[in-house]
Amino acid sequence: MTGASLGLIANLLAPQPVTVLEPGVVPEPDYTPTSSKAPAAGELPEPAPEPEPVAEPQPEPEPLSEAKPPTPKFNRHGVGVRSGIVIVPTWILSRWFETQTNALCRGESVGNFARDKGLLRTDGCNFYVGGEYVYRHSKIFDIVGAVGYQSAKLPEGYWLDKGRYIGTPESLVAADYTDVDLSMLYFEADFIARAPVVQTENFELGIGGGGGIGLGILFGDIHRTGIGSLPDGYVPGQGATPTDTCQTPEDLGDFNRCTPRYDVSMDPDRTPPDPGDLDDPNAEGYASCDENGCSESDLNAFGYRNKSGGVPPVIPVVNLILSARMIIKDTVGITINGGFNTGFYFGGSLTYFFGKEFQSR
């Protein structure tokens, strides 16, 4: 340790002089600077400037392009009723039958086209009625559950399988006098999309289509009675017609030219009917017929009027749909539908909508 260091330490340890003040005397402040930057004696230090306030950051506004529009509301649920007509065109049946009858919703008129396709008689109109529940998944897509009744009755007449007619009068023996009286209870689920064509606050119109699947439970029967061997005609009150009146498929359209007649080869009991039991008693065993059909009691008396066993109790229903619908004040819906399921159909429905909810995205 050097002499200078020892001297510094000695100075620090040496006792400092103490100034003794007289009572009531206040010492004067010592403004002697303690460093080179201290203010001179008698001068007050300048106050430090106050910092300027910093403005709080404002949140940035969202871009206009990302702003979401208000979500519209609409009634999601609907209940309604439906009805319409069903037609199986003759040109479809003609693929399997040389002759047939049909219900075409146009009276008794048989047009030339239908006659060329083997249509013998047309009368009546098959219809459907039902109820439905509509769930609007969105404003353009519906899921529809329906249950309903559909008639399937045809006028009585001769049906001749296409494969059994070979163009000769003798082959007309294969014709069956047929009575079709069927109906169906159906359950169906449809999926329909409609594009908006007109859309205002109180009215909307959409056009589109879709499809559906379901099941049909059949009721009723189909009865068949063979025309008999050597087909011929009979007029009640007059007797048998001159020979050779039943020669062509077109003749089958006239029940007095081609009349069902008892045929022992078709009767399992081989017991001919009593002539007195027939509506128009005759020993030849002809059924009594007019322009509308033949006596059911006479056909039953033959003993071989059979119920067809080829009718399934349940059938699948596949629905193809074209649809247009307008909704008024999001409450009343009027729909027009057309398409094909068991036949071509055309009809409509009236629906009440309720249950307003936000539209799904």
Side-chain angles (χ1 to χ4, degrees), residues 45-70:
E46 295 182 1
E50 295 183 1
E52 296 183 0
V54 180
E56 296 182 0
Q58 298 295 327
E60 296 183 0
E62 294 185 3
L64 296 179
S65 59
E66 297 181 2
K68 295 181 179 180

Side-chain angles (χ1 to χ4, degrees), residues 51 138 150 164 191 200 301:
S138 68
Q150 177 179 318
R164 301 186 64 182
F191 307 89
T200 66

Side-chain angles (χ1 to χ4, degrees), residues 139-155:
K139 297 197 76 172
I140 64 173
F141 182 68
D142 292 350
I143 301 174
V144 183
V147 57
Y149 168 86
Q150 177 179 318
S151 65
K153 182 174 176 60
L154 303 178

Side-chain angles (χ1 to χ4, degrees), residues 175-247:
D176 291 326
Y177 185 88
T178 305
D179 178 11
V180 179
D181 188 6
L182 294 175
S183 58
M184 181 176 71
L185 178 66
Y186 66 87
F187 302 89
E188 188 175 295
D190 298 327
F191 307 89
I192 308 172
R194 302 179 185 87
V197 176
V198 179
Q199 204 164 22
T200 66
E201 182 180 355
N202 296 319
F203 178 84
E204 65 177 78
L205 171 66
I207 297 176
I213 55 175
L215 291 175
I217 302 174
L218 294 177
F219 302 93
D221 300 303
I222 299 176
H223 287 92
R224 295 179 176 178
T225 309
I227 192 174
S229 58
L230 302 176
D232 213 337
Y234 181 85
V235 178
Q238 299 181 18
T241 60
T243 57
D244 301 335
T245 59
C246 192
Q247 300 292 303

